[in-house]
Amino acid sequence: MIPIADSDYVYAAIAEEMGLAGGAIVILAVIVFVSVGVRISLDARDMFTKLCAAGLTAFIGFQALVNIGGILRALPMTGITLPFVSHGGFSLITSFAMLGMLLAFSHRNASDKMLASRAPASRSALVNLEAVQ
């Protein structure tokens, strides 16, 4: 009964088939994704990585908020797909590209922490570590 159930109204189809628990799981997954993205942004060393990670996270979060808000009729329905769930081909490709960039930033943050923990505690070593990358 739901129109365009595989792309625009996929959250309504999930909530209809799986009930309140299924809808809550989708919302929880978006909240976890956004919180991890914010953590990646806060842990980043340089300003470009901070801003890029924050922008990618905000884009995914805003896209999910607009889609779920449109389905719940709290916001006007704009045709924006739900990230990682909807059927839209280009939307799915860009969502996974943004996820890949966030994973690369997270990997870089982890390797920077590992290099910082191995470096001697002198001030010159920290300056050299900054200049390496």
Side-chain angles (χ1 to χ4, degrees), residues 104-115:
F105 294 149
S106 175
H107 179 71
R108 182 176 176 194
N109 292 344
S111 64
D112 285 348
K113 282 184 181 179
M114 187 180 299
L115 286 174

Side-chain angles (χ1 to χ4, degrees), residues 12-121:
I14 289 171
E16 180 184 25
E17 293 295 325
M18 302 176 82
L20 180 64
I25 287 172
V26 171
I27 291 175
L28 182 68
V30 170
I31 290 171
V32 167
F33 182 85
V34 169
S35 65
V36 168
V38 168
R39 175 55 45 202
I40 291 170
S41 176
L42 291 175
D43 289 345
R45 185 187 60 171
D46 59 338
M47 190 56 69
F48 173 76
T49 306
K50 283 183 185 290
L51 293 175
C52 193
L56 294 172
T57 302
F59 187 81
I60 295 286
F62 181 73
Q63 191 174 356
L65 178 74
V66 167
N67 184 279
I68 293 172
I71 289 170
L72 297 176
R73 297 192 183 200
L75 297 171
M77 193 63 191
T78 58
I80 294 177
T81 58
L82 188 63
F84 306 110
V85 180
S86 293
H87 178 62
F90 191 71
S91 173
L92 194 62
I93 290 170
T94 56
S95 295
F96 277 117
M98 288 187 278
L99 177 65
M101 290 174 67
L102 282 172
L103 287 173
F105 294 149
S106 175
H107 179 71
R108 182 176 176 194
N109 292 344
S111 64
D112 285 348
K113 282 184 181 179
M114 187 180 299
L115 286 174
S117 68
R118 289 183 189 170

